[in-house]
Amino acid sequence: KKVIILSVVILIAAIFALFFVNSKKYFTTTIVSMSMSPTLMPKDKVFIEKTSQINTGDIIAYSTSSLPNKAVQIHRVIAKGGEIISFKKIANDKYVILINGKELNEQYLEKDCKYFSLDASIYETQTIPPNNYYVLGDNRLNANDSRFIGYIRTSDIKGKIIKVIRE
């Protein structure tokens, strides 16, 4: 009797998963880079919901013409249209992020990635244009994000990560 119940539960879960993955509202991809580590690691499978409801802190999938082959990238939204992003130097070319003058609480970052340094011209105060987003990888030392490719247009966003399965 337990075997039958277990079989039915597995069958229902498989049907739900098949519907979920094949739905036009969702898709999956596999992480291939370290740009979002430790939050997302290579070989993690992520479920992405196609949505226009994007908020600061969401991890999004996007593709833009400024990337080779318009490859799908995955990064975290740091600021959205109308917000002012600036970088406060704290010491030895180390910076923290300010959004509208307030330090961004990035508890998801590892200590070594919280502060980062690069070419100082990247750190100019910017107002994010309407219908655009500023994204960063959680692994700031190894991410090709808005610091290098610019803003992400709303039309370039494929969706946001809603589930991660770690291999």
Side-chain angles (χ1 to χ4, degrees), residues 64-108:
T64 177
S65 59
S66 63
L67 295 167
N69 301 322
K70 291 192 173 185
V72 172
Q73 299 291 304
I74 296 178
H75 290 119
R76 187 179 301 275
V77 173
I78 300 300
K80 53 190 178 180
E83 294 182 321
I84 299 168
I85 186 169
S86 56
F87 301 86
K88 179 181 174 186
K89 186 174 184 176
I90 56 171
N92 298 328
D93 293 328
K94 303 282 184 180
Y95 297 81
V96 293
I97 298 171
L98 304 176
I99 303 296
N100 298 327
K102 295 181 183 175
E103 186 172 334
L104 184 62
N105 179 8
E106 296 188 285
Q107 58 198 5
Y108 44 82

Side-chain angles (χ1 to χ4, degrees), residues 31-60:
I31 302 300
V32 296
S33 79
M34 293 291 291
S35 71
M36 283 298 294
S37 69
T39 307
L40 301 173
M41 300 297 290
K43 298 185 181 178
D44 284 354
K45 183 171 282 278
V46 293
F47 290 86
I48 301 163
E49 177 183 17
K50 296 177 183 177
T51 180
S52 59
Q53 299 296 318
I54 304 296
N55 297 304
T56 300
D58 286 346
I59 300 173
I60 62 167

Side-chain angles (χ1 to χ4, degrees), residues 130-148:
N131 301 312
N132 282 267
Y133 296 86
Y134 193 94
V135 299
L136 292 174
D138 286 359
N139 182 355
R140 303 286 158 76
L141 302 175
N142 185 23
N144 188 23
D145 48 34
S146 286
R147 294 172 293 170
F148 308 102

